[in-house]
Structures are given as C-alpha cells and as structure tokens.
Amino acid sequence: MGETITPVRERWWKEAVAYQVYPRSFKDSNGDGIGDLNGVTEKLDYLKDLGIDLMWICPMYRSPNDDNGYDISDYHAIMEEFGTMADFDRLLEETHARGMRLILDLVVNHTSDEHPWFLESRASKDNPKRDWYIWRDGKNGAEPNNWESIFSGSAWEYDETTNQYFMHLFSRKQPDLNWENREMRTAVYEMMRWWLDKGIDGFRIDAISHLKKEPTLADVPNPENLPYAPSMVSHLNYDGLLDYVDDICGNVFNHYDIVTVGEMNGLDAVHAEEWVGENRGRLNMVFQFEHVRLWEPQAGLRPTPAVLKKIFTSWQEALEGKGWNALYVENHDVTRITSRWGDTEHHWRESATCIAAMYFLMQGTPFIYQGQEIGMTNTRFASLADFDDVSAKNKAKDLKRMGMSDAEIIAFLTRTGRDNSRTPMQWDSSPHAGFSTHQPWLKVNPNFEMINVENQLHDPQSVLNFYRQMIHLRKREKALVYGRYDLLLDDHEQIYAYSRLYGDERFVVLCNMSGKAAVWDEEALTLEGAQCVLANVAEWEEGYRLRAWEARVYKFS
Ligand code: TEU
Ligand code: CA
C-alpha cells in the first residue's frame, strides 16, 4: 500500500455501466413472438432505472438469419422482423434523450452469402468483387486445406459456378471477407462512417481475432491432438492482425469521439497492452476470452477460485495505469453464469449476486447481459428440436455421426449451448414471461414464474436490487472505477478478495465463491475501521467469516 498510482485518464466510458441487448429475445412489441427495436425502446426506462449508461445491441441489420443476424445481407437496412430504420432512429434518439449511449455490433469478418457483394463475387472469377472474399481451388479433389469451421465441418464450401471453394470460418452462409483487399476495406469503412455519422456512440467489433488469415493457408498439423477446432490455431490472432486494426482506427475510429470494444478471443494479458494501451491509439477495450473457456473440454465444470483469481488478476495487473478493459461474465454466446459458476440448486440468489460483486467491482467497464441482472439460468431442452442456434444444430449432426444418442447430445448441448442465454427475457409471470403475447421464437425458460423482473423489482433482497445497489455504489465511488486492484488472501481456497485503492480511499471486496462457510485470519486482512457498504445477505454477521456465496464490500476511510 501507499505506492503512487499511475493516474489514468478519466473518460465517460470508463465510468459507464454497460448492458448488452440481444434484440430477438429482449421484448416483442407487436405480438409476432420475435423481439424487436420498438421493444427495446419500450424498456429504456427500465434500463435507465437500473443505472445503465451504455447499451450494446447485437446485430439488427438486414439478414437471412442463419446466425441470428451475424450474417448480414445489407448493412444499411434493418432486419424486417426487428422493424424499420425509423424505429432505429427513434431508439437512438430515445436512448440519447435519457442520457444513455448506444453502440452497435460491427460484423466485418464475414457477410451473409446473400449480401450483394458476395453475389457478385461468386458470379465469375473475373468479377471485380471476386477478391473481396477468399476463393481457392480444391486440392486433389477436396477442400483447399484442413481448416475447420467454428460451427463444425470444413471451413470451405464448394461453389459450382466457378468450380472453386470459398472460405467460411463460421457457417456456410457466412463467407469471410478478404481483408487483404483494399477496395473491400474502403467499402467497409464507408459503411462504418455512415453509422457513426448517424450519431451512434461506437462499436463492439465482432470476431476481430479472425480478420487476419495465415497467408499461405497451410494445413494445420495434427488437428486431432488439439483441444479444440484446428481452425482456431491457424486463424486466430494471427501476426499482422494489428495492422488491420491500425488501418481501421486511422481511417475511421480515430476521427470520432466514440467507444470501441473488440471481441478478442485468443488474446492473453501479456499482449493486452498492445490492443488497449492508452498510448497505442487502438481500441478502448476488448472482450477477452480466458475466463470464458467455452470451447475447452472442461466446459461446464465450475472453475476453482484459484483459477479465477489467476486469470482476472493477470488482466488487472497487466493493464494497471496503461489501459482499460471490459468486464463481463455473460453474453449471447455463453451459458448463464449462475448455472456455470454458481449453484442454481441450493444458493441461486446468493451465487448470482456473489459472482456479480466479484467481477463487477474490478477495474474496467462492467457489462451486464440481458437477464443476468435477475439471475436467469440455463434452460431445459426436451428434444433436439428445441435448439435453434446454427452451431448447435451442426454440432448435433456431428455428434450423431460419431454415434452419440439423442439423449447424450441433448445433455452436451444443454451444458454448452448458446441457446441457453438466448431464451426470451423474463419480464413477469404472465404467459410467455411478458416477453410477447405470442408463442416466442425460442421457448421461454420454464422457471420464468419464479425468476422475472416484476417479482424482483419490489423485493429488496432480489438479485435485481443487488445489481441496482451495486451499480449505484460504483457510480458514487470513483475508487471503484479508477482505483488500483490488488488481490488479497491470495491462497484462500474459497474466498476471492481484492481491494481498490484510490488516493486515501480503499475498498475491499470479499466473495465466498463456495457453498460452504469460509473464515480468514484477521492478520491476513483486517476490517478494522471499515464500514460494510454492500452485502448480498441481509443479516450479515460481523467477524472474519462468510456464509456460503456471501459477498460483502467494505469501505475504509
Ligand atoms: O462470435 C465470434 C466467436 O465466437 C469467435 O470470435 C470465437 O473465437 C469462436 O467462436 C471460437 O472460439 C461472434 C458472435 O458473438 C457470435 O454470436 C457469432 O455467431 C459469431 O461472431 C459469428 O459472427
Ligand atoms: Ca416483434
């Protein structure tokens, strides 16, 4: 303690609390069972009241919907099911009218195969847009190389018209753009400016780690020995990627007062500063993946506090005084955090709020994914037909081919599937959880009568009210925004504890990440002179003891 702290520059987006909306599942305003933009506008007061300053909305562009909007066929139009451009303009205006900001999802690793650029590109080998995508001849009558798509199967699709294959790292309806092509980049930059000139406040940049491909497109060695898809090794965070990022920033981002967050799978804390260092002039934050580990074999197992401490602390320390980052535990691609790390059976409320305090009060801009603030959980899938996600459907086919039974496949996808976080938002206990008046596009989680916004709004002990209190605490206390992070009780097997130090102020966050009571020694961490400013258990006891999944925040002054 008492060391000098490097001052970090104060910025609105560092003080902001962010919220991610998955529009298809947030709120249906016109009774067709599909969430839409007017539904989001309807709920802006709810978000404002929760304390949200910044909203990231997942793709709402024109799309054939193979990957729920991440396959864009027109960057300048709104998906019909979501509404119109006028609806979007009103959403933006109403967001700004409430003093909140809105960022869009920028999906430029690929387009839809129905995008006019791709239709032209596939038309002939000498089409001017041929080189906007990645085309290759087959090798010995098969795919150009052994890369696998992240959504199963080969990363190449054969196209009869010109007897060549095109690359798709995601679904076969998501052909990858060729970032080596300058004309393509120029067109993409124009599109970005078009939205920024409309007045949006920034972008979350989708799948940015994949923009740069290994130039020789060589086979990946020994794919069967890799813990996950070989594709990820050869085209994830490849050398030269930062040159593309510099080009995007130089041509577009740096000319606007905006916030940018890159989805950066494959980045570790050691290299984080290259991406978000304040002096680098690149991105403001990244969504790193180290704590998510969705695609690793152990997916579904609860990580130990030791592992969480190691990962989070490495990121906090690497960026202290140098750069900023996004904090998150959920999004539309991962399972629900209380199901994944917590204990929905015995300590649902406590574990949901304990995990919240753990990640939210570190240094960085916290993001909340819709429904996380009420402790939504993974759902139940009765049959394979209950899955909607293209990656789940492809995976199911693969597993079936490998000889797995339907029951085994359902169990696997229940544990790992992205549909878990895409079930409709649970607003109240009326039919369809108040999401819609119509049967929703994806089944509502059967626990909606217990877990919903309405039940929690007026219950002071609810997960929702814990989030609200925590958000308002962070807004009051600059130390919780800018203060330095230090890990405490490093070797404790149950408790994740850390402090935030800012000038003379010090906060201590204590989270028992286990289902058993935990004690610690006063010599290791004293609370003398401190005041409890937040707790997830009403009648908390004084002393050096935390109950199962208990979280407390103390202020020293
Ligand atoms: O996800 C991208 C994504 O998950 C990869 O960056 C990741 O590296 C990979 O899945 C495997 O590790 C984004 C969106 O969040 C997701 O919903 C989309 O399906 C995907 O891009 C394609 O646009
Ligand atoms: Ca609708």
Side-chain angles (χ1 to χ4, degrees):
M1 303 304 123
E3 295 160 43
T4 48
I5 299 172
T6 328
V8 285
R9 277 172 242 158
E10 298 193 359
R11 290 280 186 276
W12 68 264
W13 44 264
K14 294 183 180 174
E15 296 173 22
V17 173
Y19 191 93
Q20 181 192 350
V21 167
Y22 194 70
R24 203 167 186 79
S25 305
F26 193 56
K27 175 72 181 140
D28 172 22
S29 71
N30 62 348
D32 62 357
I34 298 171
D36 45 52
L37 295 182
N38 287 341
V40 183
T41 306
E42 257 177 51
K43 294 296 182 182
L44 286 174
D45 287 332
Y46 165 76
L47 297 179
K48 179 73 189 169
D49 182 57
L50 181 60
I52 302 304
D53 310 288
L54 173 64
M55 180 164 67
W56 151 31
I57 186 166
C58 286
M60 71 305 142
Y61 314 92
R62 185 69 47 89
S63 163
N65 243 323
D66 185 57
D67 185 21
N68 287 356
Y70 281 95
D71 49 320
I72 298 169
S73 55
D74 185 348
Y75 288 103
H76 300 91
I78 301 296
M79 195 186 303
E80 279 102 338
E81 292 167 328
F82 289 175
T84 63
M85 193 58 79
D87 296 334
F88 177 84
D89 292 341
R90 198 170 59 253
L91 170 62
L92 181 60
E93 199 181 302
E94 293 290 325
T95 304
H96 286 163
R98 285 164 180 77
M100 299 192 280
R101 289 168 160 109
L102 180 64
I103 65 175
L104 299 190
D105 218 311
L106 182 63
V107 187
V108 290
N109 176 69
H110 44 267
T111 66
S112 162
D113 65 342
E114 297 179 35
H115 192 291
W117 294 345
F118 187 74
L119 297 181
E120 282 191 50
S121 182
R122 106 187 307 175
S124 69
K125 280 188 177 169
D126 55 10
N127 186 281
K129 292 202 173 57
R130 182 66 169 182
D131 190 46
W132 286 31
Y133 294 82
I134 303 169
W135 292 96
R136 289 290 185 282
D137 289 329
K139 224 158 93 189
N140 311 323
E143 286 78 13
N145 68 23
N146 70 349
W147 292 12
E148 280 178 22
S149 150
I150 290 157
F151 291 168
S152 301
S154 169
W156 296 94
E157 181 77 1
Y158 178 70
D159 193 52
E160 269 185 346
T161 323
T162 52
N163 188 28
Q164 277 196 322
Y165 291 79
F166 66 85
M167 185 192 286
H168 62 91
L169 296 185
F170 293 91
S171 95
R172 59 167 57 87
K173 286 186 66 63
Q174 292 168 298
D176 281 57
L177 286 164
N178 176 17
W179 273 79
E180 293 297 307
N181 185 289
R182 180 50 66 184
E183 266 177 49
M184 182 286 288
R185 282 196 222 177
T186 306
V188 164
Y189 296 163
E190 258 170 50
M191 176 276 287
M192 295 180 191
R193 280 188 218 103
W194 189 85
W195 282 101
L196 291 168
D197 291 339
K198 220 179 208 315
I200 64 157
D201 302 291
F203 288 117
R204 174 261 188 188
I205 308 125
D206 186 65
I208 194 168
S209 343
H210 300 284
L211 297 193
K212 177 82 188 181
K213 275 59 170 184
E214 187 275 309
T216 69
L217 303 188
D219 269 6
V220 180
N222 302 320
E224 65 278 6
N225 295 335
L226 298 169
Y228 36 73
S231 53
M232 298 177 58
V233 177
S234 51
H235 46 72
L236 198 61
N237 202 0
Y238 198 80
D239 280 351
L241 175 56
L242 280 170
D243 298 334
Y244 291 166
V245 174
D246 286 337
D247 198 53
I248 299 173
C249 293
N251 279 288
V252 187
F253 294 171
N254 295 350
H255 303 278
Y256 294 85
D257 178 18
I258 53 171
V259 61
T260 55
V261 197
E263 190 204 22
M264 245 332 270
N265 194 6
L267 185 65
D268 57 20
V270 177
H271 299 283
E273 192 274 336
E274 295 168 21
W275 284 79
V276 295
E278 304 234 320
N279 298 329
R280 300 274 184 173
R282 289 179 174 140
L283 303 181
N284 298 133
M285 310 181 236
V286 288
F287 289 121
Q288 59 89 11
F289 274 57
E290 283 199 285
H291 63 302
V292 170
R293 300 169 168 267
L294 181 61
W295 292 274
E296 301 204 0
Q298 303 91 336
L301 290 189
R302 189 190 293 161
T304 60
V307 168
L308 294 177
K309 289 181 195 187
K310 191 165 168 254
I311 294 173
F312 281 103
T313 303
S314 72
W315 281 87
Q316 292 287 304
E317 288 177 348
L319 292 173
E320 170 60 39
K322 299 194 182 119
W324 202 252
N325 211 2
L327 305 167
Y328 78 102
V329 288
E330 283 192 11
N331 62 38
H332 63 295
D333 291 333
V334 296
T335 54
R336 291 287 184 179
I337 197 65
T338 314
S339 302
R340 191 150 35 103
W341 293 356
D343 179 352
T344 52
E345 209 178 316
H346 305 103
H347 301 284
W348 164 70
R349 194 188 63 81
E350 290 77 10
S351 60
T353 46
C354 186
I355 294 166
M358 191 224 44
Y359 91 96
F360 198 95
L361 298 172
M362 293 184 190
Q363 191 183 81
T365 299
F367 281 71
I368 298 169
Y369 175 66
Q370 67 184 42
Q372 180 190 326
E373 77 277 22
I374 55 168
M376 278 177 65
T377 68
N378 284 351
T379 192
R380 271 206 300 269
F381 300 93
S383 75
L384 283 175
D386 284 350
F387 293 93
D388 166 85
D389 174 20
V390 58
S391 72
K393 288 182 185 156
N394 290 350
K395 190 87 199 165
K397 275 183 227 146
D398 273 8
L399 297 177
K400 205 159 202 157
R401 231 176 280 127
M402 286 165 54
M404 264 202 200
S405 70
D406 280 13
E408 286 168 323
I409 298 171
I410 293 168
F412 174 81
L413 293 175
T414 297
R415 194 158 54 75
T416 57
R418 305 196 296 180
D419 288 312
N420 277 301
S421 54
R422 300 175 179 187
T423 60
M425 179 72 181
Q426 292 162 208
W427 294 105
D428 59 40
S429 55
S430 70
H432 315 307
F435 162 73
S436 175
T437 52
H438 186 279
Q439 180 66 41
W441 68 277
L442 186 67
K443 277 190 193 160
V444 171
N445 189 317
N447 66 19
F448 75 96
E449 288 182 12
M450 204 261 293
I451 301 178
N452 65 61
V453 171
E454 196 185 40
N455 277 352
Q456 296 192 23
L457 272 177
H458 305 291
D459 170 8
Q461 295 306 315
S462 66
V463 178
L464 181 60
N465 272 311
F466 183 81
Y467 267 94
R468 190 144 56 181
Q469 282 171 43
M470 182 170 67
I471 292 168
H472 289 278
L473 175 67
R474 186 181 183 277
K475 283 186 195 296
R476 277 197 311 276
E477 302 288 357
K478 270 201 164 167
L480 292 174
V481 175
Y482 295 110
R484 189 185 75 196
Y485 164 103
D486 284 291
L487 184 67
L488 305 172
L489 305 177
D490 303 25
D491 298 323
H492 201 291
E493 285 174 7
Q494 296 161 277
I495 300 176
Y496 193 143
Y498 58 93
S499 61
R500 303 293 307 279
L501 182 67
Y502 188 70
D504 301 335
E505 286 183 10
R506 185 162 170 261
F507 284 78
V508 167
V509 180
L510 281 156
C511 301
N512 177 5
M513 305 287 293
S514 82
K516 293 196 194 93
V519 293
W520 77 95
D521 290 336
E522 176 164 15
E523 295 91 82
L525 170 60
T526 179
L527 296 175
E528 203 160 313
Q531 188 201 348
C532 183
V533 289
L534 183 71
N536 68 346
V537 179
E539 312 257 308
W540 53 278
E541 301 156 24
E542 294 286 349
Y544 296 86
R545 182 171 186 282
L546 296 169
R547 281 166 284 191
W549 295 103
E550 183 169 350
R552 291 187 221 153
V553 181
Y554 287 88
K555 181 179 185 178
F556 293 75
S557 48

